[in-house]
Amino acid sequence: MTKSMLIDAAHLEETRILILEDNKIEDLDFESSTKEQLRGNIYLAKVSRVEPSLRAAFVDYGNDRHGFLPFNEIHPDYFQIPISDKQQLIANTIDQFNSDEKTKRGGKFKPSDEEEVTFNENSNLKQASIRRSRLYSKYKIQEVIKKRQILLIQVTKEERGNKGAAISTFLSLAGRYCVLMPNSANSGGISKKIVFKNRKKMREILNKLNIPQEMSVILRTAGGDKSKLEIKRDYDYLFKLWQEIKRKTLKSLAPLLIHEENHIIKRAIRDNFSNDLKEIVIEGDNAYKLGKGFMKTLMPSKSGLVKKYKDNLPIFNHYGIEKDIDLIFNAEVNLASGGSIVISPTEALVAIDVNSGKSTSERDIETTAYKTNIEAAKEIARQIRLRDLGGLIVIDFIDMNIRKNNYQVENIFKNAIKTDRARIQIGKISAFGLLEMSRQRLRPSLLEINYKECNHCNGTGLVRSIESQALQVIRNLDLMMKTLENKTINLKISNTMSQYLLNYKYEIIKSKNDRGNNIKITVDDTLNNQFYIIAENQIEKKEDNTNKETLNKLKNKKITAKKYKEKNTVKKINKKNDSTNKEEKKSIIKVNAKKPIKQTSSKTKKIIVKRKNKKEFAENISKVKEVKTGWWDQ
């Protein structure tokens, strides 16, 4: 069995990581620059609102949408109660848990080797028992948490749809072999996936790490066969990281990002590396340097497994996997026997239907259903892991009459799901052939990362027919025409809708012009399956138009009268020049008597000025002659 990791980071906008096992895709991870993943990040946040009805608080951690903090995810250190009461309550809850453990194990207290702890969980069973203890039932959230209170929180679930991110004050820092929980005492444990032979040895190693009382450590599956030195090195790294987070928190103001989860390449190497992995091939210079450097710090002896892809073809096309990746986004998955499975994610759950399809090779329906269900169970486990389907999942298997066949299908499905890193709970096949299960959501699904909701169908996948939509338009028009008066109703519709209405419903629209209303149809090609009906006031527009028309008429009348007067005066002046002086005097007198000319032309003004100047000049000469110059003139 050959297992390899392929990383496509040639484009900065998207990074794709794929686990290939025997030339078959076993795991797939996407990260897009447009949708950054917040899960695992630690923020210094501020309480914006406390909701007693929800028994939760909304916290501003610097994102557009506030985070949701349930009451049982608030650490007792943040409770605003007397310190003595706080310490006493915590001690009582821990003592109560220890007594419960002793009674369950026949009076002898032993560490719970059977408890399941994975590196994806923020707490184990002990920590959950503390959260459900008297400490939370005795107080109300509005009594212990106040508005504008500062908290150090960690994102546990990504934003999804209209829901904000789920956050917690119980922090966890994941390493290669350990998970450090710095503010959770008595919450350590060992992963259930570690072989039973090594569990006692691993617990002794954990006890020798000198972990402070307020902290706890979970040993991950990858550390099940590691030495004490390797586990201690990983623990020391996480302890130093926590000290840096504390220093940065004390110097910062909320809201602020304190610690960011590792890059997707670092997370993939950290979580998926095992002894079975033969090579890590990376396309992209920056990604190769990042992966090589991280591998040298994590496991220097295995850094030679990291290789740089150098061929001309894209890495997934070179391995012939690009087509298989495209098929993951399809709702229907074909099976080798001829059957198929249909995956339909909804708001409440994910429905998976198994169909026999073209599978007709068997003799009777029972064996056909049994073999199709077995093949579908293996493929469903793989598809759930690849698509990262989370929440409640309901699988509708083909009905089988023999109960033994149902048991075998259940066992095969449980064995196929064991390789999944998420926390999973599986039920049994019911009498209706339904199998219910719940799966922890590790990251946003591939559909949420790569797709967005359709604007035309609003995510339903169905569009209303033109006939039905035309009737809807006519009903709304009918309502407005019967309730409004003297209005201009503007109907905005698409091109196809306008053609249908004008060709098939024109008489109906024309017959609805009652009560002084007018219908105006405007075509907008951007409106595919939408329409708008806007009622405009018609009376005001008519009054404005009439006022404008009257003003224009009056202006036009005045202008024509002035032009007529000027033309008449010009004609009369021309007649004066042609006639004799007597006739001129008579005509001028008549004109002045009838209509005196208000304005004189520029030529007449010049003539008058010249005549005045001549008269003044003659009078001055006569005065000069009459002046007595000397005694002889006396």
Side-chain angles (χ1 to χ4, degrees), residues 49 57 139 171 220-221 245 291 347 370-371 413 600 608 618:
R49 192 169 81 253
Y139 295 99
L171 309 179
R220 298 178 61 177
T221 308
I245 292 171
E347 187 71 21
Y370 172 68
K371 289 193 174 181
F413 182 69
T600 57
I608 293 166

Side-chain angles (χ1 to χ4, degrees), residues 462-526:
L462 299 173
V463 177
R464 197 165 189 171
S465 64
I466 294 177
E467 294 81 7
S468 176
Q469 195 174 6
L471 290 174
Q472 186 183 10
V473 172
I474 291 170
R475 290 190 192 102
N476 291 325
L477 273 177
D478 192 15
L479 177 64
M480 296 186 76
M481 295 293 285
K482 291 180 179 179
T483 55
L484 300 176
E485 291 183 357
N486 298 324
K487 299 286 183 181
T488 299
I489 298 174
N490 190 358
L491 175 61
K492 292 186 177 182
I493 52 178
S494 63
N495 189 12
T496 55
M497 179 60 65
S498 65
Q499 291 177 5
Y500 182 82
L501 289 176
L502 294 175
N503 290 329
Y504 298 99
K505 304 293 181 181
Y506 178 72
E507 294 181 356
I508 297 174
I509 294 173
K510 189 178 179 180
S511 63
K512 294 183 181 299
N513 290 335
D514 299 331
R515 302 169 68 99
N517 296 321
N518 294 324
I519 298 176
K520 180 183 175 183
I521 297 176
T522 57
V523 179
D524 189 355
D525 292 333
T526 60

Side-chain angles (χ1 to χ4, degrees), residues 225-242:
D225 55 349
K226 301 300 176 182
S227 63
K228 178 184 176 182
L229 181 63
E230 292 175 318
I231 295 172
K232 189 176 186 306
R233 187 189 301 159
D234 192 41
Y235 165 74
D236 292 338
Y237 165 73
L238 296 176
F239 187 80
K240 290 179 182 177
L241 180 62
W242 170 242

Side-chain angles (χ1 to χ4, degrees), residues 538-552:
Q538 190 178 4
I539 299 169
E540 295 179 358
K541 287 190 173 183
K542 282 186 176 180
E543 290 179 352
D544 294 339
N545 292 329
T546 53
N547 292 329
K548 289 179 182 179
E549 287 177 359
T550 52
L551 289 171
N552 290 329

Side-chain angles (χ1 to χ4, degrees), residues 397-448:
F397 286 105
I398 302 173
D399 293 337
M400 295 180 291
N401 297 324
I402 302 174
R403 186 61 186 165
K404 179 182 177 182
N405 294 337
N406 288 334
Y407 289 140
Q408 290 181 357
V409 171
E410 290 173 6
N411 293 331
I412 288 171
F413 182 69
K414 289 178 181 179
N415 292 330
I417 214 79
K418 280 183 179 179
T419 56
D420 201 332
R421 295 185 290 116
R423 188 170 63 252
I424 295 174
Q425 294 177 340
I426 304 174
K428 295 182 179 180
I429 297 176
S430 66
F432 300 101
L434 301 177
L435 186 143
E436 298 176 1
M437 62 174 290
S438 66
R439 183 179 182 273
Q440 180 190 11
R441 185 175 283 106
L442 298 178
R443 57 183 183 269
S445 65
L446 296 182
L447 294 177
E448 294 176 2

Side-chain angles (χ1 to χ4, degrees), residues 185-430:
N186 298 318
S187 298
I190 299 174
S191 173
K192 188 179 179 180
K193 296 179 182 179
I194 294 178
V195 184
F196 183 77
K197 298 178 182 178
N198 300 333
R199 296 180 72 85
K200 186 176 181 180
K201 177 185 175 183
M202 293 296 106
R203 188 169 294 281
E204 292 176 356
I205 292 174
L206 284 180
N207 294 332
K208 293 179 182 179
L209 291 179
N210 297 323
I211 304 168
Q213 289 185 352
E214 68 274 10
M215 298 184 184
S216 58
V217 174
I218 295 174
L219 189 66
R220 298 178 61 177
T221 308
D225 55 349
K226 301 300 176 182
S227 63
K228 178 184 176 182
L229 181 63
E230 292 175 318
I231 295 172
K232 189 176 186 306
R233 187 189 301 159
D234 192 41
Y235 165 74
D236 292 338
Y237 165 73
L238 296 176
F239 187 80
K240 290 179 182 177
L241 180 62
W242 170 242
Q243 298 301 323
E244 291 177 2
I245 292 171
K246 286 173 64 177
R247 288 193 211 100
K248 188 175 180 180
T249 303
L250 296 174
K251 297 178 183 179
S252 305
L253 296 174
L256 185 70
L257 175 64
I258 301 296
H259 169 69
E260 187 174 6
E261 182 68 4
N262 287 331
H263 190 270
I264 183 173
I265 295 177
K266 293 182 178 180
R267 292 200 310 267
I269 295 174
R270 181 193 70 190
D271 297 338
N272 297 303
F273 184 82
S274 62
N275 294 327
D276 299 335
L277 196 63
K278 301 300 179 183
E279 60 178 357
I280 302 173
V281 186
I282 303 176
E283 183 180 10
D285 297 335
N286 296 330
Y288 171 73
K289 292 177 183 177
L290 182 65
K292 191 78 171 179
F294 180 73
M295 199 67 178
K296 285 181 179 178
T297 57
L298 186 66
M299 285 171 287
S301 60
K302 302 289 186 179
S303 61
L305 298 177
V306 180
K307 301 175 183 178
K308 185 178 180 181
Y309 181 74
K310 298 180 181 179
D311 290 348
N312 294 328
L313 285 175
I315 183 169
F316 289 167
N317 293 103
H318 176 75
Y319 285 87
I321 306 167
E322 193 68 47
K323 294 180 180 179
D324 297 337
I325 295 174
D326 294 336
L327 293 175
I328 293 174
F329 298 105
N330 295 339
E332 186 175 359
V333 180
N334 295 321
L335 301 175
S337 63
S340 64
I341 59 175
V342 181
I343 302 171
S344 303
T346 63
E347 187 71 21
L349 51 85
V350 179
I352 301 177
D353 185 30
V354 181
N355 300 318
S356 60
K358 300 177 183 179
S359 179
T360 57
S361 59
E362 303 301 327
R363 292 183 178 180
D364 57 345
I365 190 171
E366 183 69 23
T367 54
T368 302
Y370 172 68
K371 289 193 174 181
T372 305
N373 285 338
I374 287 178
E375 188 180 5
K378 297 177 182 178
E379 186 62 27
I380 288 170
R382 177 173 168 266
Q383 291 293 330
I384 288 173
R385 188 170 60 253
L386 291 178
R387 301 177 188 227
D388 198 17
L389 301 175
L392 185 63
I393 301 173
V394 178
I395 305 171
D396 182 13
F397 286 105
I398 302 173
D399 293 337
M400 295 180 291
N401 297 324
I402 302 174
R403 186 61 186 165
K404 179 182 177 182
N405 294 337
N406 288 334
Y407 289 140
Q408 290 181 357
V409 171
E410 290 173 6
N411 293 331
I412 288 171
F413 182 69
K414 289 178 181 179
N415 292 330
I417 214 79
K418 280 183 179 179
T419 56
D420 201 332
R421 295 185 290 116
R423 188 170 63 252
I424 295 174
Q425 294 177 340
I426 304 174
K428 295 182 179 180
I429 297 176
S430 66

Side-chain angles (χ1 to χ4, degrees), residues 562-577:
K562 287 181 180 179
K563 288 180 179 179
Y564 183 74
K565 287 178 183 179
E566 290 176 1
K567 287 179 180 179
N568 288 334
T569 53
V570 171
K571 287 179 180 179
K572 290 177 180 179
I573 290 166
N574 292 329
K575 287 179 181 179
K576 294 174 198 173
N577 295 328

